[in-house]
Amino acid sequence: MSLPRLAAAVATACCLAVLPLATAGPAGASGGPGVPDRPLRQLAADDRLRIGTAVDTSALADDADYRRLTGGQFSTVTPENVMKWEVTEPRQGEYDYAAADRLVDFAHRHGQKVRGHVLVWHNQLPSWLTSGNFTADQLREILHRHITDTVRHFKGRVWQWDVVNEAFNDDGTLRDSIWLRELGPGYIADAFRWAHEADPRALLFYNDYNTEWTGPKSDAVYDLVRRLRAEGVPVDGVGFQGHLGIQYGLPTGMAANFARFDRLGLATAVTEADVRMEMPADAEKLATQAEGYRLLLDACLRTRHCVSFTVWGFTDKYSWVPSTFPGEGAANLYDEDYRPKPAYRALQAELTGRARPASAG
Ligand code: 9MR
């Protein structure tokens, strides 16, 4: 991204229209000594940061508390599932953007920006695609059309797109996916070029997990985006998902890792933060969890062009964790009854009174 575009990205993270906002939750406890009990989005606006959540659109439709906190606490939203290929193109060439459109409208009404998730991934693909007997040329054209049609549909309404998601293994080799097998590694650059053609103003991100610290995987992402930018491929940013588990110990060196991407002239973002634990939860585990969230936010706030910090859902009432990691859970900022947890207070405190490095441009 050119410097003016990067500066514009940071500027849109700042200066949010602040709407009448909700309290922290039904329990509405104070933010702790010296910490004002202001909604996260207001506090983040002071730091020129957008704070976001993934949104479960069924909960948004059915649960008034969920709706109130989604609109009141966050200044950007990511559809947790409804912009994924299996939902948006369930039959070849037949698109269904209805659920995603409803979320984009909600975001618009609440002064929120939208992170589009996701264009190229190995998961949640429709069966017509995975079990079809397509030639490489046909598959390339299918990918081109899907990206073009989807990005055009949301043109001007999506702030950041996760263009390519989780293309690497933890050892830094490219993941064996339908895209790599059939199209070769060039699919990544193609995807960014096609997305840029469809909406030249959207910020285009590479997004992955276990890349928050330095190691073979984040080195591989770093080498990829450096090479793509040198080749003039329109990559604007790197997303660090931020799925942590306290049983593994909390990561170190995240700010230094984010900084090297920043020095490439890229925007960065924390895109899917949650901090899970082995159940049952207790006060000590919740305190460690709070520190995990705090460390992720601190790394972002220290990074000049870290433009948004998104949590992957905000309440334990709706979370992907228990079904994916049996015996684990309690990964979110609010408990199942919408009581704010220590992690919520830690984010409030971390956002309060932080002087961020001045942005370039
Ligand atoms: O939270 C999502 C869950 O509801 C889906 O069942 C799951 C299917 O793979 O995807 C989850 O979201 C993932 C995201 O799209 C990409 N990064 C990892 C997230 C958690 O698995």
Side-chain angles (χ1 to χ4, degrees), residues 128-143:
W128 65 261
L129 172 57
T130 49
S131 55
N133 247 336
F134 299 111
T135 65
D137 282 348
Q138 286 171 329
L139 206 57
R140 192 164 186 276
E141 189 44 34
I142 285 169
L143 182 63

Side-chain angles (χ1 to χ4, degrees), residues 14-19 41 50 110-111:
C14 136
C15 313
L16 313 172
V18 176
L19 300 166
R41 62 182 289 174
R50 290 262 173 180
H110 290 82

Side-chain angles (χ1 to χ4, degrees), residues 4 8 21 43 56 125 138 148 203 271 275 295 315 351:
L21 297 167
L43 296 169
D56 174 332
L125 294 169
Q138 286 171 329
T148 303
L203 293 179
T271 54
V275 185
L295 285 169
T315 167
L351 289 168

Side-chain angles (χ1 to χ4, degrees), residues 80-81 84 117 121 123-124 165-166 241 272 312 320:
E80 183 173 359
N81 285 302
K84 292 173 179 173
H117 177 86
W121 195 26
N123 251 338
Q124 291 179 277
N165 193 41
E166 303 174 6
Q241 293 186 4
E272 306 185 13
W312 204 243
W320 67 289

Side-chain angles (χ1 to χ4, degrees), residues 209-210 212-213 241-245 272-274 276 296 312 320:
Y209 61 89
N210 290 354
E212 296 79 8
W213 50 88
Q241 293 186 4
H243 293 293
L244 305 183
E272 306 185 13
D274 56 13
R276 61 187 188 271
L296 282 165
W312 204 243
W320 67 289

Side-chain angles (χ1 to χ4, degrees), residues 245-247 249-250 275-293 329-330 341-343 346:
I246 63 167
Q247 64 273 29
L250 297 178
V275 185
R276 61 187 188 271
M277 61 190 66
E278 285 163 0
M279 299 299 279
D282 61 29
E284 193 181 334
K285 289 180 191 175
L286 292 174
T288 307
Q289 172 184 60
E291 178 62 4
Y293 273 101
K341 292 155 66 178

